[in-house]
Amino acid sequence: MSSPTPAAEPLPSDPAGTRPAPPAVPDDPAAGRVPGDPGPAPSLAADAPLAEAPVTVPAERRRPRASVVVLAVLLAVAVVAGGFGFFWVVTQLQEARTLIGDQQQQITDQQRRLDEQQEMIDRKDQFGSAMNDLYATIEPLVGLPYAMIVPWYRVEDLADRAWIHRRNPSALDQDVMDVQRLTSEISSRSDGVSAQAESNASGTAWEATLDDLGRGWVSTVFEGATPCGATALACVSGAQPFTVHVRADSQTDPTMTDWIRTGAAYHEYAHVLQFTNPQPTDDALASFGGDAETMADCYALTFLDGWSLDHEVAIDAYSYYEVTVGYGYTCDAGQRQVIRDWVGRLGVTRQVVGG
């Protein structure tokens, strides 16, 4: 009796206890495939070990980790956003400070410019006031026959300098002082003129004539020897054009009379006019060959009625001195007209400068 063969135990995965037979492998793997079909994937051998399947985490267990990640990301984003926000705020504050600083600097610059403009206005007002004082000092002199007492070229120069210095306060200050100095110079020449014109300290025909002709501007000085030479009765110098120097002994000279002294005073006053009116004098001198002495004689002959260069001075009832005064030439009618025209051009006139 033979022993029974034990039946094979079914595999745990086969509850029916039976195991289906593996599918038959076709003889030609390529048989039955259409073009483009890659064919079945290679299968494992029956006795090949099974690979361990990966372990997957159930979905309900992954949710907390995702929340944490999301929260972390949100926090990171919030931190970054906060950082950017802080940086933006700081930048805005810095820009605001810069803007405020710029505005304050602009205000400071504007105020400085306003102060400078006000300073310039003040200086210009001071200069204008000084010029008004100068013109007020000149006005009473208009018409006097001495052009040089008002040096208009200096007034013009001061006006030009003020225009050049219109944006320079310190330079304008100097210009104001220069105008005031010129005003003082002109004013000082006028001091005492009226008193001198009304007095005749020497009681002589010389001084009386010169005070009358000079309107108080011409002084008469008697000296032992004149600076013009031993033979001259009197003289005037360009350095002191308003002073007539007279030989003291002319008062006691027996060949002199008050009429001769008067005519000689006219001659010397012509020199005063020549020195104080240089341009018109230069023009007139051409008619006298450039001789200022002949021109001065012609002035006396033209404006002192009855005057002559030749005189007879009585010594007694039977004798007299023949006295010749001047430089020996009696001017003609044409030259006397030149003298009249010359005198008509002399003196201080109103002028506008700086225009």
Side-chain angles (χ1 to χ4, degrees):
M1 189 170 142
S2 60
S3 59
T5 301
E9 296 182 2
L11 291 175
S13 58
D14 187 4
T18 61
R19 191 173 192 180
V25 178
D27 295 335
D28 184 2
R33 281 190 296 174
V34 296
D37 185 359
S43 58
L44 294 175
D47 57 352
L50 294 175
E52 183 178 355
V55 179
T56 59
V57 179
E60 60 271 14
R61 292 186 180 181
R62 286 184 301 192
R63 288 175 186 168
R65 289 187 181 181
S67 299
V68 170
V69 172
V70 171
L71 180 59
V73 171
L74 291 176
L75 287 174
V77 171
V79 170
V80 172
F84 278 113
F86 178 77
F87 177 76
W88 181 84
V89 170
V90 170
T91 302
Q92 293 301 309
L93 289 174
Q94 183 61 39
E95 291 178 355
R97 291 192 189 98
T98 302
L99 179 60
I100 293 172
D102 292 343
Q103 291 174 342
Q104 290 175 339
Q105 184 62 46
Q106 290 176 358
I107 293 172
T108 301
D109 292 342
Q110 289 174 353
Q111 186 61 47
R112 176 178 54 77
R113 286 192 293 270
L114 288 174
D115 293 340
E116 290 175 352
Q117 291 173 358
Q118 185 61 50
E119 185 178 15
M120 291 306 306
I121 291 172
D122 293 340
R123 294 299 189 280
K124 290 176 182 178
D125 288 344
Q126 291 172 7
F127 183 82
S129 178
M131 288 293 285
N132 288 336
D133 291 342
L134 175 59
Y135 271 87
T137 302
I138 292 172
E139 185 60 29
L141 308 179
V142 173
L144 287 174
Y146 317 114
M148 70 167 293
I149 62 177
V150 180
W152 286 110
Y153 71 94
R154 290 179 60 185
V155 180
E156 181 76 35
D157 179 64
L158 288 169
D160 290 343
R161 283 165 49 191
W163 172 252
I164 295 171
H165 299 154
R166 63 189 182 278
R167 295 185 179 88
N168 188 332
S170 60
L172 269 179
D173 283 342
Q174 183 62 50
D175 294 339
V176 169
M177 290 189 289
D178 290 342
V179 172
Q180 293 171 339
R181 185 179 299 108
L182 178 58
T183 301
S184 179
E185 290 176 10
I186 295 174
S187 179
S188 65
R189 293 175 180 173
S190 304
D191 295 344
V193 166
S194 297
Q196 180 169 299
E198 296 171 359
S199 68
N200 184 350
S202 66
T204 64
W206 284 104
E207 188 170 358
T209 303
L210 290 170
D211 284 349
D212 181 57
L213 291 173
R215 307 182 196 184
W217 283 83
V218 181
S219 300
T220 306
V221 178
F222 292 91
E223 299 176 340
T226 68
C228 306
T231 61
L233 290 173
C235 71
V236 178
S237 68
Q240 295 178 302
F242 291 103
T243 301
V244 176
H245 300 269
V246 181
R247 277 174 46 186
D249 63 3
S250 67
Q251 290 297 99
T252 59
D253 187 340
T255 66
M256 296 285 293
T257 64
D258 280 350
W259 176 239
I260 294 176
R261 295 182 184 99
T262 298
Y266 267 77
H267 175 100
E268 297 306 324
Y269 183 67
H271 288 319
V272 172
L273 296 179
Q274 288 171 340
F275 282 122
T276 56
N277 298 274
Q279 186 56 58
T281 299
D282 286 344
D283 296 338
L285 275 172
S287 297
F288 299 91
D291 189 343
E293 296 296 347
T294 300
M295 181 178 172
D297 277 345
C298 194
Y299 175 85
L301 291 166
T302 302
F303 289 104
L304 181 58
D305 291 340
W307 176 249
S308 171
L309 299 181
D310 299 316
H311 302 270
E312 294 180 353
V313 179
I315 300 174
D316 53 35
Y318 304 101
S319 59
Y320 56 87
Y321 294 108
E322 290 184 350
V323 180
T324 299
V325 182
Y327 289 81
Y329 174 76
T330 298
C331 56
D332 57 29
Q335 289 172 319
R336 296 188 188 199
Q337 186 58 49
V338 170
I339 291 295
R340 293 187 187 95
D341 294 340
W342 170 64
V343 171
R345 295 177 56 196
L346 304 182
V348 179
T349 58
R350 293 180 182 88
Q351 296 186 29
V352 178
V353 300

